[in-house]
Amino acid sequence: MVLIIWETKVSQSVSRRSFLGSIAFGSAATALEPPAQAQAPAAGASVSISLHPDKVVATVPVNYNGLSYESAQLAHPEFFAPTNKPLIAFFRQLTKEGVLRIGGNTSEFAIWSPGGAPTGGAAESAVGPDAGGTRQQTTITPEAIRNLSGFLNATGWQLIYGLNMGHGNPGRAAEEARAVADSVGSRLIAFQIGNEPDLYHRNGLRPPDWTFDDYFSQWHEFFEAVRKAVPNASFGAPDVASNTDWIVEFAKKGADDIVLLSGHYYAEGPPTDPRMTISRLLQRDPRLLANVPRIMEASRKSHRPFRMTEGNSCYKGGKPGVSNTFASALWAADYMLFLAQSGYAGVNFHGGGNGVYTPIAGSIEAGFSSRPIYYGLLLGEQFAGSKMVETQADATGVNATAYAAKTDSGLRVAIFNKDERQPIQATLHPRMKTRNATVWRLAAPSVDSETGVRFAGGEASPEGLWSPHQEQPLTETQGQYAIDLPAASAALIFLS
């Protein structure tokens, strides 16, 4: 019932490695300490990038890219449905082999209604990612699941599906899981039992003394019930908000019962905190440097891949003036490639409705449009199915990162200038013979632009269509290439 979720295709292989800076794993609750101030870059700062095509550091799955939506969205059965052609187009434009994760805070208040009769509140046509704080009960019916299956078939995507542990019970979860498995079939990667259980003791879903052992015991009750109803069911866990210890513990105690490890990450939050700014977002959070190695060690020891199943720039739906600006596109693409380089199996950016940070905004009635972050995901998608290679860079005093990867056609190199004021001049040393070099640029009028974002000169249409319109040639000089990057911009270079 599970498609291979770590299969790779060398036809799009890519490599990369970031230089200077760091990222942090965890929920937004971990992002409250102010980052260290970056050294002010000199005007016209130079960056030298050396590639090592013979040193592969990670392989990027073809289904690395993904989106996450609230379970409450299923209360409106026509949203994820084969009839929602515009949304299907946006999904397929992003990637033809992505992963949709259904879950979020509302999964703990979503009630399975096998008879089809509504048991919860009124269905919203489009549910935003900030709906999780409402705690309104919603209904999921067989019609919604059948439509979801048709939507997945139309997009070519796979599914990770969250079950209600917070207010649910094993029997009801088993009934819902059987309906999902029967309808979705081979497009179902895994079930997740519970959303952010490491926060249950704080959000009232469990007593204040709730521990991992309590969670693990209850998780197994649900697991056994679902497995009895769906013998071939696969699971992902623990889907925590920020507690890396729970990931490590689950990898030790429950690896035999799952096909992937999972957790969440929000770079900033809460949005009411004035310290949550564009400048902060573009600086790497050093805690990810501490947590990613722990996660990947647990992944290697347990032989289970790790996927970031929910996350974005600033939790609680995002922060206006930050999460909906061009800065989010630079952050998202850089973040995707950093995690891919580290060995992650995939990322699912949370969104929906008109949430501030959602990659695709809108509703069936109003139509859909792309937010700036969508273009960052488009850039990151160019590395799906590639092999990341070692990259060394001299970028002292500059907030810049670079990644490279191998493909059947050559190399792809992404360079990010995340400095808000200063341009950089990058010199690329591919260390292999090349005949052609072209560039796609990720750019906007300014770092805080909410519109006017372009990737390779192209803009996604209201019908969800995008194509590259501008491709700049680069000239080789003595085995190297020179490229200028304006402040707050990125470049994707194709070498063949």
Side-chain angles (χ1 to χ4, degrees), residues 247-440:
I247 298 171
V248 174
E249 283 301 305
F250 206 106
K252 291 178 181 177
K253 296 181 178 181
D256 291 343
D257 295 328
I258 61 174
V259 296
L260 74 152
L261 294 163
S262 64
H264 299 177
Y265 172 76
Y266 285 90
E268 294 188 319
T272 53
D273 189 332
R275 293 174 295 175
M276 304 304 137
T277 63
I278 285 177
S279 296
R280 183 189 184 96
L281 182 65
L282 293 179
Q283 292 291 331
R284 296 288 185 92
D285 185 343
R287 272 160 289 205
L288 197 57
L289 287 182
N291 286 322
V292 165
R294 293 191 69 213
I295 291 170
M296 293 315 302
E297 181 181 9
S299 174
R300 285 188 291 269
K301 287 183 176 179
S302 64
H303 304 288
R304 295 294 182 268
F306 180 87
R307 188 174 186 101
M308 192 283 290
T309 48
E310 179 189 320
N312 213 301
S313 56
C314 188
Y315 74 93
K316 289 191 175 179
K319 181 170 184 173
V322 177
S323 302
N324 59 343
T325 69
F326 178 59
S328 69
L330 293 175
W331 168 79
D334 177 60
Y335 172 65
M336 287 179 72
L337 296 184
F338 177 85
L339 295 186
Q341 173 184 275
S342 301
Y344 275 40
V347 294
N348 291 81
F349 287 88
H350 203 47
N354 288 301
V356 179
Y357 60 47
T358 186
I360 304 168
S363 65
I364 296 173
E365 298 81 4
F368 296 91
S369 62
S370 57
R371 290 279 173 77
I373 192 173
Y374 184 85
Y375 296 90
L377 274 59
L378 279 177
L379 191 157
E381 170 62 19
Q382 308 310 310
F383 285 73
S386 69
K387 295 186 182 297
M388 307 296 287
V389 299
E390 183 175 321
T391 304
Q392 295 176 336
D394 179 4
T396 304
V398 180
N399 184 11
T401 53
Y403 309 85
K406 292 195 295 188
T407 70
D408 285 345
S409 58
L411 292 174
R412 295 179 188 178
V413 184
I415 307 174
F416 297 90
N417 179 8
K418 296 185 293 179
D419 190 279
E420 300 173 53
R421 304 177 308 279
Q422 296 294 333
I424 63 174
Q425 294 83 46
T427 303
L428 182 62
H429 307 271
R431 293 176 176 246
M432 62 176 286
K433 290 185 178 180
T434 59
R435 294 188 302 273
N436 298 297
T438 56
V439 180
W440 291 1

Side-chain angles (χ1 to χ4, degrees), residues 17 29 34 41 48 61 74-75 124 137 201 229 234 339 341 373 384 490:
R17 174 187 178 112
S48 178
L74 294 178
E124 296 289 339
Q137 182 175 298
H201 68 291
S234 296
L339 295 186
Q341 173 184 275
I373 192 173

